[in-house]
Amino acid sequence: MLGFSNLTIKQKLIWIIMSICSVTLLLTCAVYITYQQYSLRQHRVQNLSVQARIIGDNCKASLSFDAVSDAVDILKALRAESSILFACVYTNEGEVFARYQREDVERQILPPAMKEEGHEFDDHYVHLYKPILLDGERIGMVYLRSDLREMQRLLHRNLQIIVLVLVAAGIVAYILTRRLQRVISKPILCLAQTAQVVSEKKDYSVRADKLGNDEVGVLVDAFNDMLKQIETREAELRESEMKFRTLYESSTDAVVLLDENGFFDFN
């Protein structure tokens, strides 16, 4: 804070305003990114839930009549959804009835143990379980595993846009700050310059320019009033000194002067 206190009033105003703008923008962007991530996750889960429900509806007959090949054909329709790596249909006892794996995935994916309806996220995937119901009773379960590449790509693109917006907003804020800070700094700088002139030249006849009726304007009025009083006293002192000097120099009688220390002078 020592370095900050040594800055000029203009620099302090710019620093304070830019700090407030930067913190506000960063917090806004952080909230937006958090909301975007939450929104994209919810949207992804909704899409997977719709797909799982469709697969489950189409696999009801396959499970009822133990037609594994039909269920496999139904799962192959997931090729159109590139984000789904793996899918399978469980029987009500938790055994894998049919499965699907994306063709470009080389490693064999092992089906996880069947769980209750729901979804969960990890670092790279979202896992969703959806029951297959027939006449209100569960006869099986659909499991979908989807990667998060598309969501991460969207977040990355949004982050790039946000960075560009932050840079542009920062530049605009800095330009506006440099211009608008003059409204506050100019009256104070004018007052400081006037005080410096009075201090250096001992000229109490100068006056500070009043640029507004705010608190700085009140300070300028008080400063000018103080200068006026000092100027009046200086004029009275000069006049008194001139009268005394005239009387002192023109006197034909002896004049003895005593100061406060007892020293004296005489004419």
Side-chain angles (χ1 to χ4, degrees), residues 5-216:
S5 62
N6 293 329
L7 297 176
T8 64
I9 186 68
K10 179 195 292 186
Q11 292 171 331
K12 287 179 181 178
L13 286 172
I14 293 176
W15 192 91
I16 291 172
I17 296 173
M18 287 301 299
S19 297
I20 294 173
C21 291
S22 299
V23 171
T24 303
L25 286 172
L26 288 174
L27 286 177
T28 302
C29 291
V31 171
Y32 176 75
I33 285 294
T34 302
Y35 172 76
Q36 276 287 97
Q37 185 176 24
Y38 172 80
S39 178
L40 288 173
R41 285 192 171 196
Q42 291 299 111
H43 182 69
R44 187 64 191 144
V45 169
Q46 290 175 1
N47 287 343
L48 289 177
S49 296
V50 171
Q51 291 175 324
R53 186 172 65 250
I54 293 173
I55 291 173
D57 290 341
N58 292 333
C59 287
K60 289 180 181 180
S62 301
L63 284 169
S64 299
F65 298 102
D66 199 25
V68 176
S69 59
D70 292 342
V72 171
D73 292 336
I74 292 171
L75 289 176
K76 286 181 179 179
L78 293 173
R79 292 173 181 173
E81 184 59 54
S82 61
S83 63
I84 296 180
L85 281 75
F86 182 81
C88 67
V89 175
Y90 298 94
T91 63
N92 201 34
E93 290 75 25
E95 297 180 356
V96 177
F97 182 73
R99 53 175 291 163
Y100 160 81
Q101 182 170 319
R102 200 170 67 192
E103 295 178 354
D104 61 338
V105 179
E106 298 179 356
R107 180 177 57 87
Q108 185 74 13
I109 298 177
L110 297 177
M114 188 178 73
K115 297 181 180 180
E116 294 299 321
E117 179 181 7
H119 66 274
E120 58 184 22
F121 285 86
D122 57 28
D123 294 338
H124 304 286
Y125 307 106
V126 54
H127 309 266
L128 182 134
Y129 296 85
K130 192 76 172 178
I132 303 174
L133 302 178
L134 180 63
D135 296 331
E137 295 183 1
R138 193 182 74 178
I139 61 172
M141 182 77 71
V142 177
Y143 167 74
L144 299 178
R145 180 187 298 183
S146 173
D147 61 34
L148 303 177
R149 290 183 304 175
E150 184 63 27
M151 188 182 75
Q152 291 170 349
R153 185 160 48 246
L154 288 173
L155 285 174
H156 183 68
R157 185 186 64 184
N158 289 341
L159 186 60
Q160 289 178 327
I161 294 174
I162 288 174
V163 170
L164 292 176
V165 170
L166 280 176
V167 173
I171 294 173
V172 172
Y174 180 73
I175 294 173
L176 291 176
T177 299
R178 283 189 62 88
R179 292 180 178 273
L180 297 179
Q181 57 81 28
R182 299 173 187 171
V183 176
I184 299 176
S185 65
K186 187 176 179 180
I188 299 176
L189 292 175
C190 289
L191 182 61
Q193 291 171 358
T194 303
Q196 185 176 7
V197 170
V198 172
S199 176
E200 293 177 351
K201 299 183 178 180
K202 308 301 180 183
D203 183 3
Y204 300 104
S205 64
V206 298
R207 296 290 183 268
D209 295 330
K210 183 178 179 180
L211 302 178
N213 295 318
D214 55 2
E215 290 84 351
V216 180

